[in-house]
Amino acid sequence: ARSAASFLVEVGRQLAQLLDRRLSRLNSSQESSSHDNRSNNNNNHDSDSGPLWSLAGREASECNHKCRLICYHEYDSEEQRSKEKGVWAAPHKDTGLFTLLVPQQFYDLEGNPIQCPDPEVGLYVRNRQGAICRIAAPEDEGEHLLFQLGEAMQIVSGGQWHATEHCVRGPPRPLAGYTRSSLAVFFQPHLWEDLALPDKCTFQDVAQRAHDGLFRMFLTMQPPESR
């Protein structure tokens, strides 16, 4: 995990730069600005000055990235499985900008990599149409990385991109005979860093685009002059 972390952080920095460019184009398409203004805006992001780069693209020592090696163990009993509602990680959203995930790997109790015997186990997300989907890297197509968006990204994008609601479903029985591991890097701002809204966008605008009622309530309560 430690040796992979620096590579994963570099991938995340490059993603932040690409997302800045994409966000610039989205914002430009919604404004009645001149072609020259749009060109200047894109050039700014090319020079590493966008909001995502400023929060997640700087040197790792200046940022607040967190790397976690997560291991989910088998349930000891049906009582434990029932108490935990059959999920290894309850439904939630990450609070940061985005999360980079190394695809899940399953192991037997001796630590040997295996294919999961229960195809319904693993990562699930809710898409923007409200459907619950199981997520897994394609098989036999090389190596992959997965990304999830967080609530900070929802604010920085002006509500155009939504935080990923997700959970991890556990085995359908206790003493299943395997564990699940995943490596996650959380790209998140420091607590003291401001989340810059796009020009002419307010927290109320973000709230109107939010699907999550609690998040929408939080945004609606922000003073109109807040940025």
Side-chain angles (χ1 to χ4, degrees):
R2 289 184 181 274
S3 60
S6 58
F7 167 74
L8 298 177
V9 168
E10 179 57 30
V11 172
R13 294 175 73 236
Q14 294 181 32
L15 178 64
Q17 190 175 45
L18 292 173
L19 291 175
D20 268 332
R21 294 172 183 169
R22 175 61 177 164
L23 186 58
S24 175
R25 289 193 293 268
L26 286 173
N27 291 333
S28 295
S29 67
Q30 295 182 2
E31 297 176 357
S32 57
S33 57
S34 66
H35 175 75
D36 288 341
N37 285 338
R38 290 197 298 270
S39 297
N40 289 336
N41 205 14
N42 287 335
N43 288 337
N44 284 340
H45 292 312
D46 288 341
S47 61
D48 303 337
S49 62
L52 293 173
W53 179 265
S54 68
L55 293 169
R58 296 167 298 167
E59 293 298 323
S61 59
E62 302 177 16
C63 296
N64 194 31
H65 312 322
K66 297 291 187 293
C67 181
R68 293 179 60 197
L69 180 59
I70 307 171
C71 183
Y72 301 95
H73 298 277
E74 62 178 359
Y75 299 118
D76 293 331
S77 64
E78 184 60 37
E79 181 182 4
Q80 181 191 21
R81 179 177 174 273
S82 177
K83 182 178 180 180
E84 298 183 12
K85 313 301 183 186
V87 292
W88 267 329
H92 68 284
K93 296 185 295 182
D94 295 341
T95 59
L97 293 163
F98 55 87
T99 304
L100 185 156
L101 296 170
V102 175
Q104 61 190 9
Q105 176 63 61
F106 293 91
Y107 298 90
D108 63 24
L109 299 186
E110 285 71 46
N112 302 306
I114 61 171
Q115 294 291 326
C116 182
D118 299 309
E120 71 272 26
V121 172
L123 176 66
Y124 285 77
V125 305
R126 187 169 81 95
N127 65 23
R128 296 185 71 165
Q129 288 71 46
I132 308 300
C133 309
R134 184 178 183 274
I135 302 298
E139 297 182 3
D140 303 323
E141 293 188 17
E143 297 180 341
H144 298 78
L145 294 174
L146 307 176
F147 292 88
Q148 297 173 167
L149 301 185
E151 291 177 321
M153 176 72 79
Q154 196 161 339
I155 293 175
V156 170
S157 70
Q160 298 185 85
W161 298 331
H162 292 243
T164 308
E165 298 180 16
H166 60 284
C167 69
V168 180
R169 188 173 184 177
R173 60 193 177 281
L175 303 175
Y178 60 84
T179 62
R180 175 187 183 271
S181 293
S182 179
L183 183 64
V185 179
F186 299 89
F187 292 80
Q188 56 195 29
H190 290 285
L191 291 177
W192 59 83
E193 290 184 297
D194 293 328
L195 299 177
L197 290 165
D199 290 341
K200 302 180 181 179
C201 180
T202 67
F203 283 116
Q204 285 68 33
D205 295 329
V206 180
Q208 291 178 1
R209 296 168 176 161
H211 298 155
D212 185 328
L214 290 176
F215 193 52
R216 184 166 59 248
M217 182 185 299
F218 165 75
L219 294 167
T220 302
M221 298 298 177
Q222 303 304 304
E225 66 277 8
S226 295
R227 294 290 299 167

